[in-house]
Amino acid sequence: MRQPESVSSEALDDFEAGVGLLLVVWARSAERIKPKVSASQLRALVVVDRHGAINVMSLADELGSIPSVTSRLCDRLQAAGLLDRVASEGDRREVMLQLSRDGRRLLRQFRRERQADLKQVLDAMSPRSRSALLTGMSAFYAAATELDLSEDMLA
């Protein structure tokens, strides 16, 4: 099997610049949601949403944090009305985290804002460039999945 051609440093620089701007678009979307939440709080909400319900230890693992810090983060989210703590159905002693109604609303708003920002950029591209980007992103996703990069790290 032939090895694929290596990526040039110039191409890698261009790709990094594009990813950097993608992160700017992402952050800009997060700035417009109400109530204001930090990037780490938003990431925690996204992880909880993906699981439906998760305990603090598992959330801390996914966030790459320690349980005490994650618990305080959850305290702030609960105080803001974005997160609920409920007893686990399997073990009443275990406390599970789940989004509150306001937490679900906030994530819906974030996704709408983010998609509007992404659409604005995509609409400004030529159809050919947009098609090439979307094809490339699909291939990037497939390659990352094949390399076993965890989708759990997305937020």
Side-chain angles (χ1 to χ4, degrees):
M1 180 178 207
R2 201 178 89 184
Q3 287 291 331
E5 188 177 315
S6 183
V7 177
S8 72
S9 62
E10 293 84 14
L12 195 53
D13 288 344
D14 289 347
F15 184 72
E16 264 191 308
V19 169
L21 287 174
L22 185 60
L23 293 174
V24 168
V25 169
W26 192 283
R28 198 176 106 185
S29 305
E31 290 171 1
R32 291 194 309 270
I33 59 176
K34 301 273 192 268
K36 295 286 184 207
V37 293
S38 70
S40 58
Q41 289 172 326
L42 183 58
R43 186 160 180 251
L45 291 171
V46 169
V47 171
V48 171
D49 183 48
R50 186 172 52 245
H51 287 276
I54 189 172
N55 65 29
V56 172
M57 292 291 288
S58 297
L59 179 60
D61 284 346
E62 286 207 36
L63 297 177
S65 183
I66 58 175
S68 61
V69 170
T70 302
S71 183
R72 286 192 299 276
L73 177 108
C74 292
D75 289 343
R76 290 189 294 277
L77 289 169
Q78 185 177 15
L82 302 173
L83 196 66
D84 291 327
R85 285 185 163 101
V86 297
S88 169
E89 291 181 16
D91 180 354
R92 306 290 295 165
R93 295 170 295 176
E94 181 179 34
V95 175
M96 301 298 288
L97 306 165
Q98 61 186 31
L99 293 182
S100 68
R101 187 179 75 240
D102 287 343
R104 288 188 300 276
R105 181 198 52 77
L106 181 126
L107 283 186
R108 278 192 309 273
Q109 179 189 4
F110 172 61
R111 288 181 180 118
R112 278 193 309 271
E113 295 289 343
R114 183 181 64 206
Q115 287 187 351
D117 287 344
L118 291 171
K119 184 179 183 324
Q120 182 180 15
V121 174
L122 291 169
D123 285 347
M125 297 172 69
S126 72
R128 185 176 180 185
S129 294
R130 184 173 45 245
S131 178
L133 173 66
L134 297 175
T135 298
M137 289 303 292
S138 293
F140 182 87
Y141 182 85
T145 301
E146 190 173 305
L147 291 172
D148 219 13
L149 298 178
S150 176
E151 193 174 325
D152 291 340
M153 296 308 290
L154 297 175

